[in-house]
């Protein structure tokens, strides 16, 4: 059913049941996201896509907010921009992000977000956590120092590949990604080496072995392709049709 | 198997006759606080000396639940069938600080000769007791929680029978709506409204869940109800199941409460045997089964969506709402979660009526609330008071005020999600809105009194440390924000922070409060915000660069001719 909504004082039409993020993207309204990835379930955990909804004191994540008739939102108020910038700063402060030696330098969603938000320095104290690097898998590597806990790998592996190799263990600042029952990735018998987790990782935490600094390009769109191909039973690439 | 009113009456009569054979009933507190003060030895001492004095046929020793004044435990109450002359015709005498020797003396003087040991007697007129209004704690300290007969003898399961035989499910829902009962788990959501949502949900299976996770530091309201009167919760849940059409229920209790788990399991077994749970409850066409689920003791598992994930065997972390549990909860089916204290109110509302319940409390908040009094008070322990009582009445009258020579500074309510209310606002009548208005919350019932020795920065730091350690780590603002806020508070408390740091702390509070995914993160800044609101000077006094110092420096530079 078509409905009317208003984004940033602009009257728009959308289909009931769509999320605000879908509508915003279609209309070319920018909204930062990190945990969201087309084709995967919604986690709503990075909180970057929060928007102000008229008539509600609670901010809502655009990636999960279903549009309804008369919905009126603002996506880029000063307050939201301030919060988003702090979130990105906190992400840098909580991990060990040394871009100069990272495989994803230049191809990193976290870097892109920092540029978008105008982050030029970090106001919060760096935590320098002690984190592991797992190079036991024959094809891929995992450097937890760079992980932003978006859980895209967890969801891609579980929902698209059906292997459920990854999971989250620990809580709070000690929360971290584990493979199988916290075994080295290389001995995780559930892993099919399909590379989907590597494809969706927004940062340089998951990478193909053998790539050097700045060479790791992720292919997050692959899960959307697979998810919609399965839904529509059509495995042709859209361009080829 | 209980099938009718007369079956309940028979059990009740038998139990009363059983009690009536004895001249005295010695009720020994068997609750955690008194047990840790040596209550077990006290009970053994009573049993031994009663045997020695040959009083066994006349005296019954009963382990009971919490009588409230935990700071003066172990507590023992002696109830006598005949009023004894020496105590001025009273039938009930409450002894405090009982040890095995005193037990022996009580036995020889009071039980054998009817003369109370006055020196150790607590007056029932003590405001701590007199100002209470016990609804959910009506049986706590009165019955043996491991005997269903004791509960039935005090009117237990009458409400269930009444609901099942005289009311339609919708009428039960309406009655709860009319009562004005609000959730006791912290949020104060109208209970009847929630019940109606589950009642109206169309689904093959529906669930009701009791939240007995109680993770707030220092809180033990829910534990007391579960340990001391488990059948009250079971009865409330069964009535809820009837009203909403749920077939299965879960009691979620944290693993740190082994006594509560054991008593609830015993109670469930007893209720099943009596036909009060299972198929064809009270011989009616209504079935409901109940299971205890044990949580691993993460604070966040008290949050309803995390709790449901935990029951399903998943990692206990919150998920986005909507959908709300009443729309999609356990195993995708509509599910209603209430706090155990909320459920404990139900049987009384059904029995005494919604109007009776409405007559207690304030305009917006009806009924009573259990608080755990702690901190710098003369009397600490568990109290149940009518809502609308003022903070000052609790502190000064019931709690006996702060120790001599000290000044009351603030009251902290709501635990890690709440705030500190300064002395100047103590005349506020307690309800959900008034506390929120003051920057705190009702929460689950934590009530900590602080005097001038207590540093507000330290309090804020303590709760922030708690939230940092209990954050599940799912969303960034809470996961990383609590770490930074804690570090800033630590820095401030050590006089190492600058005004810049304070500004950063306030920015973080604002961000974490408004962007976190669940209530834990959304309320984690509250203790900081409320202490900043009322005690900002304490923070400023700890700054390394408070404004006067900066000015001094500037003047010095000028004096040195460098300006
Ligand atoms: C971090 C967090 C912890 C919570 N802990 C508890 C708890 O220990 N017990 C409880 O009853 N509710 C707790 N709640 C509230 C529940 O989510 C839920 O609102 C409540 O159980 C509903 O019951 P009520 O309507 O009877 O209050 C908690 C909420 C949050 C956000
Ligand atoms: S390579 Fe494939 S199967 Fe292995 S962990 Fe990554 S997504 Fe899962
Ligand atoms: S490894 Fe990559 S995809 Fe997985 S949680 Fe970390 S940042 Fe996200
Ligand atoms: S607010 Fe804290 S506890 Fe709640 S989901 Fe986020 S990280 Fe977990
Ligand atoms: S993209 Fe919406 S919360 Fe992360």
């Amino acid at each position: 059913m078509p409905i009317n909504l208003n984004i940033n004082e602009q009257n728009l039409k959308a289909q009931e049941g769509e999320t605000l993020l879908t509508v915003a993207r279609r209309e070319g309204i920018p909204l930062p996201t990190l945990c969201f990835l087309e084709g995967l379930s919604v986690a709503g955990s990075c909180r970057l896509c929060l928007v102000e909804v008229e008539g509600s004191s609670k901010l809502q994540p655009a990636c999960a907010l279903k549009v309804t008739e008369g919905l009126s939102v603002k996506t880029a108020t000063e307050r939201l921009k301030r919060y988003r910038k702090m979130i990105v700063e906190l992400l840098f402060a909580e991990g060990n992000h040394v871009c100069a030696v990272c495989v994803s330098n230049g191809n990193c969603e976290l870097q892109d977000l920092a540029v978008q938000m105008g982050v030029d320095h970090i106001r919060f104290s760096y935590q320098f956590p002690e984190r592991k690097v797992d190079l036991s898998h024959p094809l891929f590597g995992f450097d937890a120092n760079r992980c932003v806990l978006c859980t895209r790998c967890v969801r891609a592996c579980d929902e698209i590949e059906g292997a459920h190799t990854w999971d989250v263990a620990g809580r709070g600042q000690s929360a971290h990604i584990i493979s199988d029952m916290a075994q080295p990735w290389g001995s995780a018998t559930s892993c099919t080496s399909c590379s989907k987790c590597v494809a969706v990782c927004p940062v340089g935490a998951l990478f193909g072995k053998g790539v050097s600094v700045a060479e790791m390009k992720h292919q997050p769109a692959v899960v959307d392709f697979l998810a919609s191909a399965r839904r529509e039973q059509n495995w042709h690439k859209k361009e080829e049709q | 198997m209980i099938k009718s009113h007369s079956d309940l009456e028979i059990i009740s009569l038998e139990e009363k006759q059983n009690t009536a054979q004895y001249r005295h009933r010695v009720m020994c507190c068997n609750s955690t606080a008194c047990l840790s003060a040596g209550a077990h030895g006290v009970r053994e001492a009573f049993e031994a000396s009663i045997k020695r004095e040959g009083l066994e046929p006349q005296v019954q020793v009963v382990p009971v639940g919490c009588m409230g004044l935990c700071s003066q435990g172990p507590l023992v109450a002696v109830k006598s069938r005949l009023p004894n002359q020496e105590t001025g015709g009273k039938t009930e005498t409450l002894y405090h600080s009982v040890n095995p020797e005193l037990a022996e003396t009580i036995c020889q003087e009071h039980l054998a000769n009817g003369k109370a040991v006055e020196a150790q007697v607590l007056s029932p007129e003590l405001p701590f007791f007199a100002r209470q209004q016990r609804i959910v704690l009506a049986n706590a300290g009165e019955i043996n929680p491991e005997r269903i007969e004791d509960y039935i003898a005090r009117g237990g399961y009458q409400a269930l029978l009444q609901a099942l035989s005289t009311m339609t499910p919708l009428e039960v829902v309406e009655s709860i709506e009319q009562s004005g009962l609000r959730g006791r788990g912290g949020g104060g959501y109208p209970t009847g409204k929630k019940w109606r949502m589950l009642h109206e949900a169309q689904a093959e299976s529906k669930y009701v869940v009791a939240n007995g996770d109680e993770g707030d530091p220092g809180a033990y309201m829910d534990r007391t109800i579960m340990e001391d009167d488990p059948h009250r919760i079971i009865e409330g849940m069964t009535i809820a199941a009837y009203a909403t059409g749920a077939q299965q229920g879960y009691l979620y209790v944290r693993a740190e409460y082994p006594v509560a788990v054991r008593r609830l399991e015993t109670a469930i077994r007893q209720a099943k045997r009596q036909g009060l749970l299972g198929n064809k409850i009270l011989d009616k066409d209504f079935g409901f089964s109940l299971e205890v689920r044990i949580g691993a003791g993460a604070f966040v598992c008290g949050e309803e969506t995390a709790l449901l994930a935990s029951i399903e065997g998943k990692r206990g972390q919150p998920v986005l709402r909507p959908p709300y549990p009443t729309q999609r909860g356990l195993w995708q089916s509509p599910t209603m979660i209430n706090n155990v204290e909320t459920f404990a109110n139900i049987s009384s509302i059904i029995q005494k009526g919604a109007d009776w319940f409405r007559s207690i409390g304030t305009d917006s908040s009806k009924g009573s609330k259990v608080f755990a009094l702690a901190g710098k008070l003369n009397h600490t322990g568990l109290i149940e008071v009518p809502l609308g009582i003022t903070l000052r009445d609790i502190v000064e009258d019931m709690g006996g005020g702060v120790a001599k020579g000290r000044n009351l500074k603030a009251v902290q309510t709501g635990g890690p999600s709440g705030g500190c209310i300064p002395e100047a606002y103590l005349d506020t009548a307690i309800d959900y809105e008034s506390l929120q208005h003051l920057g705190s919350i009702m929460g689950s019932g934590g009530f900590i009194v602080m005097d001038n020795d207590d540093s507000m920065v330290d309090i804020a730091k303590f709760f922030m440390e708690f939230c940092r350690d209990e954050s599940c780590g799912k969303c960034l603002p809470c996961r990383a924000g609590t770490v930074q806020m804690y570090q800033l508070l630590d820095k401030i408390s050590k006089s190492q922070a600058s005004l810049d740091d304070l500004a950063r702390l306030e920015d973080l509070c604002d961000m974490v409060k408004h962007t976190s995914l669940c209530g834990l993160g959304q309320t984690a800044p509250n203790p900081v915000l409320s202490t900043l609101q009322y005690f900002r000077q304490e923070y400023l006094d700890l700054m390394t660069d408070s404004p006067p110092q900066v000015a001094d420096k500037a003047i010095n530079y000028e004096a040195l001719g460098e300006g």
Side-chain angles (χ1 to χ4, degrees):
Chain A
M1 231 177 42
I3 53 140
N4 301 295
L5 77 161
N6 183 296
I7 307 181
N8 304 336
E9 319 276 327
Q10 190 185 345
N11 287 324
L12 296 166
K13 285 210 185 318
Q15 290 296 315
E16 197 170 342
E18 287 184 311
T19 66
L20 181 66
L21 183 65
T22 309
V23 180
R25 292 219 162 138
R26 187 171 57 229
E27 302 290 340
I29 299 164
L31 258 178
T33 59
L34 182 63
C35 65
F36 177 81
L37 190 61
E38 200 68 63
L40 299 180
S41 64
V42 174
S45 60
C46 75
R47 318 303 282 168
L48 279 166
C49 69
L50 291 181
V51 297
E52 288 179 13
V53 179
E54 198 181 281
S56 159
S57 57
K58 281 220 157 125
L59 304 177
Q60 295 291 340
C63 62
L65 180 66
K66 296 263 195 288
V67 296
T68 46
E69 177 63 41
L71 179 77
S72 173
V73 300
K74 294 216 164 53
T75 67
T77 61
E78 285 312 311
R79 173 175 172 229
L80 290 172
K81 285 189 203 157
R82 197 169 68 237
Y83 291 163
R84 286 175 190 151
K85 189 169 174 186
M86 283 170 94
I87 289 176
V88 173
E89 287 182 70
L90 285 169
L91 281 168
F92 275 103
E94 78 162 356
N96 298 313
H97 297 278
V98 191
C99 300
V101 297
C102 177
V103 287
S104 284
N105 193 6
N107 304 302
C108 169
E109 293 185 32
L110 184 60
Q111 278 183 340
D112 297 346
L113 285 166
V115 172
Q116 270 175 45
M117 317 268 151
V119 174
D120 45 14
H121 71 291
I122 309 293
R123 282 176 297 160
F124 305 109
S125 51
Y126 283 96
Q127 300 299 313
F128 302 114
E130 214 168 289
R131 291 188 183 169
K132 290 204 185 100
V133 178
D134 183 346
L135 295 173
S136 59
H137 194 283
L139 301 175
F140 316 118
F142 170 50
D143 184 347
N145 291 292
R146 302 168 185 152
C147 174
V148 292
L149 274 175
C150 67
T151 69
R152 282 189 194 177
C153 56
V154 179
R155 285 172 285 150
C157 183
D158 175 48
E159 296 164 16
I160 307 294
E161 178 61 4
H164 201 125
T165 301
W166 298 109
D167 223 320
V168 184
R171 69 177 183 223
Q173 57 185 335
S174 322
H176 60 284
I177 299 291
I178 54 166
S179 37
D180 274 8
M181 305 300 277
Q183 297 306 301
W185 190 3
S187 56
T189 48
S190 65
C191 176
T192 63
S193 301
C194 73
S195 85
K196 292 188 181 69
C197 56
V198 179
V200 299
C201 184
V203 291
L206 290 169
F207 50 87
K209 274 190 172 170
V211 296
S212 182
V213 171
E215 287 180 0
M216 185 64 219
K217 290 204 172 65
H218 299 281
Q219 312 287 337
V222 67
V223 291
D224 182 33
F225 169 73
L226 287 172
S228 52
R230 279 177 200 167
R231 199 168 47 238
E232 288 151 24
Q233 293 290 303
N234 174 2
W235 274 264
H236 296 285
K237 281 237 167 78
K238 297 254 153 64
E239 304 86 319
E240 293 168 12
Q241 286 175 351
Chain B
M1 290 291 244
I2 299 171
K3 296 188 174 173
S4 63
H5 186 69
S6 56
D7 291 340
L8 279 173
E9 282 300 304
I10 291 168
I11 294 179
S12 171
L13 264 172
E14 272 176 8
E15 189 65 19
K16 282 178 183 155
Q17 276 167 3
N18 187 21
T19 312
Q21 304 169 30
Y22 298 99
R23 260 182 57 207
H24 303 290
R25 182 171 157 103
V26 176
M27 306 196 295
C28 299
C29 179
N30 196 34
S31 234
T32 308
C34 281
L35 280 178
S36 61
H40 194 71
V42 169
R43 199 168 101 217
E44 282 177 348
F46 266 113
E47 279 163 353
S49 42
I50 285 165
K51 204 165 176 186
R52 213 168 322 117
E53 303 281 322
L55 292 171
E56 275 166 313
Q58 297 174 36
V59 183
Q60 183 190 26
V61 179
V62 202
V64 297
C66 181
M67 297 182 234
L69 194 51
C70 307
S71 57
Q72 305 209 21
L75 298 177
V76 173
V78 178
K79 269 200 179 173
S80 309
R81 181 157 44 95
L82 302 168
N84 54 47
Q85 308 305 318
E86 291 82 355
T87 53
K90 271 190 297 173
T91 55
E92 186 171 345
T93 318
L94 181 61
Y95 291 103
H96 68 89
S97 320
V98 185
N99 54 25
E101 293 81 65
L102 180 61
E104 198 139 324
T105 318
I106 294 172
C107 188
Q108 286 158 0
E109 297 188 11
H110 189 158
L111 303 180
N113 297 318
K115 258 178 78 175
V117 186
E118 287 300 338
Q120 295 290 118
V121 173
L122 279 171
S123 159
E125 276 109 58
L126 208 63
F128 186 92
F129 298 111
R131 301 204 59 173
Q132 294 204 34
Q133 174 143 17
R134 287 166 88 96
I135 301 171
V136 303
L137 293 179
N139 291 340
E142 296 284 342
I143 62 167
N144 178 347
E146 298 190 359
R147 285 175 54 82
I148 190 171
E149 296 83 358
D150 241 13
Y151 180 68
I152 292 173
R154 286 182 59 99
Y157 288 109
Q158 297 278 2
L160 177 65
L161 182 70
Q162 191 181 331
L164 258 55
S165 44
T166 66
M167 298 166 90
T168 65
L170 187 60
E171 279 167 359
V172 178
V173 171
E174 282 167 351
S175 159
I176 300 302
E177 276 176 342
Q178 279 156 19
S179 75
L181 175 66
R182 294 171 66 175
R184 300 294 191 238
Y189 191 83
T191 305
K193 207 164 149 190
K194 216 187 251 187
W195 285 31
R196 184 179 283 274
M197 285 194 255
L198 192 71
H199 175 86
E200 285 170 357
Q202 300 290 329
E204 232 166 75
S205 43
K206 300 184 194 175
Y207 299 93
V208 294
V209 174
N211 188 341
D213 192 57
E214 197 170 52
D216 296 25
Y220 60 108
M221 297 68 64
D222 295 347
R223 188 194 72 209
T224 303
I225 303 170
M226 292 187 283
E227 286 182 359
D228 297 352
D229 202 6
H231 284 288
R232 178 179 293 271
I233 301 166
I234 295 173
E235 186 177 4
M237 289 184 77
T238 312
I239 294 170
Y242 172 71
T244 58
Q247 304 90 338
Q248 171 74 41
Y250 293 97
L251 271 152
Y252 189 87
V253 189
R254 63 203 311 235
E256 287 92 332
Y257 287 175
V259 180
V261 170
R262 210 175 53 234
R263 295 212 178 132
L264 285 166
E265 280 177 342
T266 305
I268 290 174
R269 227 174 11 251
Q270 292 167 342
K272 262 193 210 152
R273 205 175 308 131
Q274 295 287 6
L276 299 165
L277 279 176
N279 297 324
K280 294 193 84 61
I281 290 175
L282 289 166
D283 210 28
K284 303 282 186 301
D285 204 11
F286 161 64
F288 177 59
S289 38
L290 197 50
E291 271 175 50
V292 175
R293 284 293 161 103
I294 300 173
F299 175 59
V300 73
C301 285
E303 195 280 337
E304 54 188 26
T305 58
L307 185 148
L308 296 182
S310 171
I311 290 181
E312 289 180 3
K314 297 189 191 136
R315 178 177 160 84
Q317 69 181 15
V319 290
L320 289 178
R321 295 178 306 182
Y324 288 90
T326 42
Q327 301 164 303
R328 202 170 343 130
L330 275 179
W331 297 289
Q332 309 296 318
S333 298
T335 302
M336 184 186 75
I337 305 174
N338 275 141
N339 170 260
V340 294
E341 188 182 332
T342 312
F343 279 122
N345 275 296
I346 302 302
S347 57
S348 303
I349 294 175
I350 297 295
Q351 260 186 307
K352 301 187 187 168
D355 289 337
W356 161 79
F357 195 80
R358 288 191 70 80
S359 70
I360 309 162
T362 69
D363 281 350
S364 71
S365 312
K366 305 297 181 192
S368 65
K369 177 79 193 83
V370 184
F371 289 100
L373 291 195
K376 306 285 177 56
L377 280 177
N378 284 315
H379 304 307
T380 58
L382 215 59
I383 54 166
E384 181 175 355
V385 289
L387 288 167
I389 190 170
T390 65
L391 291 160
R392 194 179 300 283
D393 279 343
I394 294 186
V395 173
E396 285 175 3
D397 205 20
M398 304 182 75
V402 290
K404 270 220 166 59
R406 293 180 182 278
N407 287 325
L408 179 77
K409 188 169 180 182
V411 174
Q412 208 282 347
T413 67
S417 318
C420 291
I421 302 166
E423 203 271 342
Y425 293 92
L426 288 195
D427 290 312
T428 308
I430 298 179
D431 68 21
Y432 289 93
E433 279 69 27
S434 66
L435 294 187
Q436 210 161 4
H437 188 70
L438 291 175
S440 188
I441 58 162
M442 176 94 75
S444 55
F447 197 105
I448 306 168
V449 175
M450 288 167 292
D451 67 16
N452 273 9
D453 283 352
D454 294 308
S455 146
M456 292 295 126
V457 178
D458 286 348
I459 300 284
K461 185 173 129 182
F462 168 79
F463 283 118
M464 190 56 74
E465 183 177 19
F466 178 83
C467 290
R468 180 199 66 184
D469 293 346
E470 295 296 332
S471 162
C472 80
K474 177 171 180 169
C475 73
L476 183 277
C478 168
R479 179 178 78 227
T482 53
V483 171
Q484 299 280 348
M485 288 190 288
Y486 172 76
Q487 286 170 350
L488 287 166
L489 287 164
D490 188 48
K491 214 169 152 187
I492 294 171
S493 73
K494 292 177 177 153
S495 299
Q496 294 167 349
S498 63
L499 287 169
D500 254 6
D501 288 320
L502 186 60
R504 232 188 309 270
L505 176 65
E506 295 195 86
D507 279 353
L508 279 166
C509 284
D510 174 45
M511 192 272 285
V512 173
K513 186 180 173 76
H514 293 107
T515 60
S516 291
L517 191 156
C518 87
L520 194 156
Q522 287 160 8
T523 58
N526 285 356
V528 185
L529 289 170
S530 79
T531 48
L532 271 170
Q533 182 183 349
Y534 298 117
F535 301 96
R536 195 177 185 86
Q537 193 57 42
E538 270 187 50
Y539 284 81
L540 292 176
D541 288 345
L542 289 165
M543 293 295 128
T544 52
D545 60 347
S546 52
Q549 277 173 21
V550 175
D552 280 346
K553 256 188 205 154
I555 292 163
N556 283 343
Y557 281 125
E558 271 172 18
L560 287 168
E562 290 176 5

